[in-house]
Amino acid sequence: MLILTTILWILATVEAQGNVTLGQSLSADDKNTTWQSRDFAFGFRGIPGKKDKFLLAIWYSRIPDGTIVWYAKRDNPETDRGSTVELTRSGFLILRDHKGNELWRSRSLTDDSQVSHAAMLDTGNFVIVSKNSTNIWESFKDPTDTILPTQELDADGSLSSILAETNYGKGRYQLRFDKGSLVLNQIDMFTGKPYEGYLSLGSGSRLVFNESGSIHIWNLNENLVNLAQTESSELNYYRATLDFYGVFTLYSYPRNPGGGGRWSVFKAWPSNICVNWRDRFGIGPCGYNSFCEPLDWRPNCTCPPGFSFLDDNNQYAGCKQDYPNNPEDCSPNGSTIGEDRFEFKSISFVNFPFSDYGIFYPATESECKQSCLRDCSCAVAIYPTSKRDGNATCFKKQLPLFNGVRDTATYDSTVLIKVLKSDASRKTSETPKRSDENRDQVILILGVLLGTSAFFNFFSLAAIALIFFCLFRRRLNDLTGVRSRRDIETNVQFFTYKDLEHATKGFKEELGSGASGTVYKGELISSYGDCVAVKKLDRFAQDGEREFKTEVKAIGQTHHKNLVRLIGYCDEAEHRLLVYEFMENGSLSNFLFGVLRPSWKQRQQIALGIAKGLARCVEVEMEEAVILTEWAFQCYSEGMIEKLVENDEEATNDVGKLELLLKVAIWCVQEEPMLRPSMRIVTMMLEGAVQVPTPPCPFLLSSMSVSASTKTI
């Protein structure tokens, strides 16, 4: 009986581990052909919610949801319909797109070139085997976010989380060995370099997940230190996954679930990630302007009053202020203009440990509120409920808030969130006229951004298109010689086409041109001088008048101290023109393409500074054409981005940052408006707070020209 049982087990194992012969291939299509073992499958998996997008992956074939445990091309795993994977006769797994371009290949672990076959094993390990029965390559040696029983993680190995629940891009968290300890840490999204660890699981040099489902660390004394002791693996499937919210979790799933099964948490590291982040720098598991509270082993993220999620589908991406700060809310001495427009909303048992910029004692709660209310920089005040002689310490905090934690056992403070009253509006008082020196400074900053680099010229043009329409409102004196026709709705001057034709002497002196129109010099005496810049738009949408008036209204209600002013507009018959203050120092292009060339690091800082400046504008949605050549996107998609920097040695030596900036730029000029990120997200991308996903082609198939608009916050 024992012999028969053994024979049956061997036959079942052989059947489950059917060999893959050299030259065999699989395709990303609806046939769902796979290479299988008894419990696992290797092949292409469609990504939920993403039509015609696939992963080359390994998953549990007997579990209804087909939980994925490995995928190829870890940093950018998504591939398109029609992609193929082939086991070549030279012993490599090669992933190609539908055009035959190579996307990924397995790397050899040995010098043995005598390839026999490949196999999907019942352990979940996909192996390429030599004729000497050694593994030339195996998925266990190239892990992603999960390890399985019989798998080990060596001192030079690591696990990386995915970006979000259905986004398999490389995420913000990492499990690795560092200086003899197994640690969890965040990574810098720009460089991939690790931040300081937020949890140490123990000392050692190897993580062992044995066949029974228990996890140990092999320490420096060659002893096994137990992390988790599970039940028999004959009853349950086990996996240990670094989840996208930063928790390393050991899961179990019944092999014979009966009425249904699900993955259950056996153990988690850390058990309360919110508390683990409480005393550390970084954006934490919930992102900026959010607070964290544990719920079933994972962080539950909540926005404070007056804030809402950046991404309604991802609570871990952080929150944005519903009423964003604006320069016109602040006086030159830093006090709040129109403080009666604001009020406080309170929450309890919450703290944001590292956002303090002002602390004073003694203070009553009323004094704490008034100080924050009158201080333009103050977004939150925290006042303890326990007091001495009616006084306590007042903590004033500014944006962004980070590492917010809700803990009823630790915090007894009242958190006061400053919000705009529901019946209040933004302050519209006059802003003092800035000096010509300040105007010169912003033009110079924009001018030196790109130097002579073709790539940075392209990136700057994308930014300028945003800047050009993020202008601030100011009441103007009537123009001499032109009858006053102020549009109350848009708060700017209305001109007839004849007015502007006369002012520009028949559109005689051209200052420059762009994708949407040409700019001419005109003479109109105004509070900004004797000259103006008149932009004559070449094209507009089919519902042009309504859309154009909406744009002008948005511009007229937008304010920023470092941006040129909109004086007026013309909307007459087929004519659409915008009138701006005249910049004596010449056109932006003269500065952008001049000889000044700051260092690579300075150019990066300037790019980030521009994004931060734009992120302070009010929330409007606008459209302005920008230049993006197919050549630039082609160079990116074909991995030849060095061609875009014209032998700029500093840039080519930092190709990782160069690629990141290019990806951000391509996202900003997507022809489809819904695909463009807000400027706040752009800022977070540039700062490394969020990962920059691979951008799609910015052009719609039906379009022969490139236009872009942006939604700024």
Side-chain angles (χ1 to χ4, degrees):
M1 185 65 180
L2 178 61
I3 295 175
L4 178 59
T5 301
T6 302
I7 292 174
L8 291 175
W9 180 86
I10 293 174
L11 290 175
T13 302
V14 171
E15 182 180 0
Q17 300 175 3
N19 292 345
V20 179
T21 59
L22 302 182
Q24 277 191 269
S25 64
L26 298 172
S27 298
D29 52 32
D30 296 328
K31 295 180 180 179
N32 298 322
T33 306
T34 60
W35 295 329
Q36 285 193 300
S37 68
R38 182 182 62 224
D39 293 325
F40 293 91
F42 177 99
F44 287 98
R45 277 281 300 273
I47 301 177
K50 295 187 177 182
K51 184 179 180 182
D52 296 330
K53 292 293 184 180
F54 293 81
L55 296 178
L56 178 61
I58 297 172
W59 63 90
Y60 283 97
S61 59
R62 290 193 171 190
I63 292 178
D65 68 355
T67 306
I68 292 174
V69 297
W70 179 91
Y71 46 91
K73 207 159 67 85
R74 179 165 67 173
D75 290 349
N76 184 22
E78 292 185 9
T79 187
D80 296 324
R81 177 180 294 276
S83 299
T84 61
V85 62
E86 178 187 6
L87 176 62
T88 67
R89 298 189 181 279
S90 56
F92 293 98
L93 277 176
I94 298 182
L95 173 64
R96 296 185 176 91
D97 64 17
H98 65 285
K99 296 180 179 179
N101 299 314
E102 183 176 314
L103 302 176
W104 171 86
R105 70 165 56 201
S106 59
R107 55 188 178 87
S108 296
L109 301 175
T110 69
D111 296 329
D112 194 338
S113 60
Q114 299 296 312
V115 185
S116 172
H117 63 277
M120 181 71 256
L121 306 183
D122 272 342
T123 57
N125 192 14
F126 190 89
V127 297
I128 301 175
V129 184
S130 73
K131 293 182 179 179
N132 295 325
S133 298
T134 58
N135 290 342
I136 297 175
W137 178 85
E138 55 183 290
S139 60
F140 272 15
K141 296 296 184 181
D142 189 21
T144 50
D145 64 341
T146 297
I147 59 173
L148 299 170
T150 73
Q151 188 172 359
E152 298 182 358
L153 193 67
D154 296 328
D156 58 350
S158 66
L159 299 182
S160 295
S161 69
I162 60 176
L163 191 60
E165 198 148 18
T166 57
N167 187 331
Y168 289 87
K170 192 173 183 179
R172 294 190 289 140
Y173 299 95
Q174 188 179 51
L175 176 72
R176 66 188 180 97
F177 283 98
D178 179 41
K179 300 176 183 178
S181 295
L182 182 64
V183 299
L184 286 165
N185 59 262
Q186 277 190 336
I187 61 173
D188 178 74
M189 301 304 287
F190 280 126
T191 64
K193 300 295 180 63
Y195 288 125
E196 179 186 4
Y198 56 89
L199 180 70
S200 174
L201 280 72
S203 299
S205 60
R206 186 155 43 109
L207 181 66
V208 179
F209 198 176
N210 67 26
E211 59 184 331
S212 68
S214 299
I215 299 180
H216 311 275
I217 296 179
W218 194 273
N219 68 15
L220 301 178
N221 296 323
E222 300 297 313
N223 295 319
L224 287 175
V225 178
N226 181 55
L227 292 181
Q229 187 71 42
T230 63
E231 302 171 358
S232 172
S233 60
E234 295 180 0
L235 301 176
N236 298 289
Y237 294 112
Y238 291 101
R239 64 178 172 93
T241 299
L242 178 55
D243 290 309
F244 66 91
Y245 41 80
V247 178
F248 183 51
T249 310
L250 175 59
Y251 293 97
S252 67
Y253 190 102
R255 288 182 178 268
N256 298 300
R262 63 181 181 87
W263 287 105
S264 300
V265 175
F266 188 88
K267 192 169 183 179
W269 300 269
S271 59
N272 185 339
I273 191 171
C274 302
V275 171
N276 275 81
W277 271 102
R278 183 171 56 195
D279 300 322
R280 297 185 181 275
F281 288 101
I283 64 173
C286 288
Y288 290 117
N289 305 322
S290 178
F291 60 88
C292 177
E293 186 174 19
L295 179 65
D296 296 333
W297 306 92
R298 62 193 293 171
N300 182 53
C301 303
T302 305
C303 295
F307 292 76
S308 56
F309 287 120
L310 277 171
D311 182 352
D312 291 334
N313 298 317
N314 181 11
Q315 63 167 296
Y316 306 99
C319 303
K320 68 179 186 298
Q321 197 174 24
D322 295 333
Y323 170 77
N325 289 338
N326 192 278
E328 67 182 2
D329 295 330
C330 304
S331 66
N333 65 5
S335 62
T336 303
I337 298 176
E339 60 187 60
D340 58 338
R341 297 175 298 129
F342 296 91
E343 63 182 348
F344 287 98
K345 300 288 187 181
S346 64
I347 52 177
S348 301
F349 310 115
V350 173
N351 192 20
F352 300 94
F354 296 108
S355 301
D356 301 332
Y357 74 96
I359 303 173
F360 63 93
Y361 176 89
T364 65
E365 183 172 345
S366 176
E367 289 172 334
C368 191
K369 282 184 176 181
Q370 286 300 310
S371 178
C372 185
L373 182 65
R374 294 171 181 173
D375 187 342
C376 188
S377 298
C378 185
V380 171
I382 294 185
Y383 192 77
T385 55
S386 58
K387 309 174 186 66
R388 185 192 313 174
D389 299 328
N391 291 290
T393 301
C394 178
F395 299 86
K396 293 164 62 177
K397 299 176 183 288
Q398 60 187 355
L399 301 181
L401 305 168
F402 56 98
N403 288 8
V405 180
R406 179 179 173 86
D407 189 343
T408 57
T410 304
Y411 301 120
D412 65 346
S413 301
T414 299
V415 179
L416 305 167
I417 314 291
K418 186 165 72 176
V419 300
L420 188 70
K421 292 179 180 177
S422 59
D423 58 349
S425 60
R426 185 179 295 283
K427 184 69 176 175
T428 59
S429 63
E430 295 292 334
T431 302
K433 181 180 179 181
R434 67 176 182 214
S435 66
D436 290 339
E437 180 182 355
N438 287 341
R439 288 203 304 266
D440 294 343
Q441 288 176 351
V442 72
I443 293 297
L444 180 61
I445 288 174
L446 291 173
V448 301
L449 172 60
L450 307 188
T452 59
S453 164
F455 160 65
F456 281 99
N457 292 340
F458 146 66
F459 184 84
S460 178
L461 286 169
I464 292 168
L466 308 181
I467 294 173
F468 216 81
F469 274 81
C470 191
L471 310 171
F472 73 89
R473 175 181 59 188
R474 175 176 179 172
R475 295 188 178 276
L476 305 172
N477 295 326
D478 292 340
L479 302 181
T480 301
V482 177
R483 184 169 58 89
S484 176
R485 289 182 291 268
R486 177 168 296 279
D487 188 325
I488 297 177
E489 182 181 9
T490 62
N491 196 38
V492 294
Q493 187 79 18
F494 171 77
F495 298 97
T496 67
Y497 184 76
K498 186 177 180 179
D499 291 336
L500 299 181
E501 187 177 38
H502 175 75
T504 60
K505 297 179 181 179
F507 303 101
K508 180 179 179 180
E509 185 177 349
E510 182 178 322
L511 298 176
S513 61
S516 64
T518 306
V519 182
Y520 300 91
K521 184 177 180 180
E523 294 183 0
L524 286 172
I525 299 175
S526 73
S527 58
Y528 306 115
D530 296 338
C531 297
V532 293
V534 180
K535 184 170 187 178
K536 190 175 184 180
L537 302 180
D538 292 337
R539 64 177 187 273
F540 46 89
Q542 293 179 354
D543 57 347
E545 183 169 355
R546 180 179 58 82
E547 181 173 333
F548 180 76
K549 289 293 290 290
T550 300
E551 298 289 337
V552 172
K553 180 180 178 181
I555 297 168
Q557 294 175 347
T558 307
H559 176 105
H560 198 281
K561 65 180 180 179
N562 288 330
L563 300 174
V564 293
R565 294 176 174 90
L566 177 69
I567 295 174
Y569 72 100
C570 172
D571 178 16
E572 181 180 304
E574 73 276 12
H575 303 298
R576 304 290 186 274
L577 300 95
L578 298 171
V579 182
Y580 296 101
E581 63 174 318
F582 181 72
M583 307 305 292
E584 296 288 347
N585 289 321
S587 69
L588 290 174
S589 60
N590 290 338
F591 291 95
L592 290 173
F593 307 127
V595 296
L596 291 175
R597 187 185 186 89
S599 70
W600 171 243
K601 184 176 181 180
Q602 288 172 326
R603 280 175 274 167
Q604 294 179 42
Q605 292 172 341
I606 293 170
L608 178 58
I610 289 176
K612 285 184 174 180
L614 292 172
R616 299 188 67 183
C617 295
V618 296
E619 186 170 348
V620 292
E621 190 160 346
M622 314 178 186
E623 190 161 325
E624 167 67 354
V626 295
I627 299 173
L628 175 64
T629 64
E630 295 186 14
W631 175 70
F633 181 75
Q634 183 179 0
C635 288
Y636 164 73
S637 60
E638 295 181 0
M640 299 184 294
I641 61 175
E642 293 86 352
K643 288 186 177 182
L644 297 172
V645 292
E646 296 182 347
N647 300 316
D648 185 331
E649 184 176 352
E650 286 184 295
T652 54
N653 288 338
D654 194 5
V655 68
K657 189 61 174 286
L658 175 64
E659 181 179 1
L660 182 142
L661 291 171
L662 179 57
K663 287 164 67 176
V664 173
I666 294 173
W667 275 115
C668 286
V669 294
Q670 290 290 316
E671 189 168 4
E672 171 54 52
M674 293 300 294
L675 294 179
R676 300 174 204 137
S678 70
M679 284 310 302
R680 185 167 297 216
I681 292 295
V682 169
T683 301
M684 295 175 71
M685 288 177 173
L686 295 176
E687 289 180 322
V690 297
Q691 188 183 38
V692 184
T694 300
C697 177
F699 311 109
L700 295 177
L701 295 178
S702 61
S703 176
M704 296 300 292
S705 63
V706 182
S707 65
S709 65
T710 188
K711 182 178 181 181
T712 61
I713 296 175

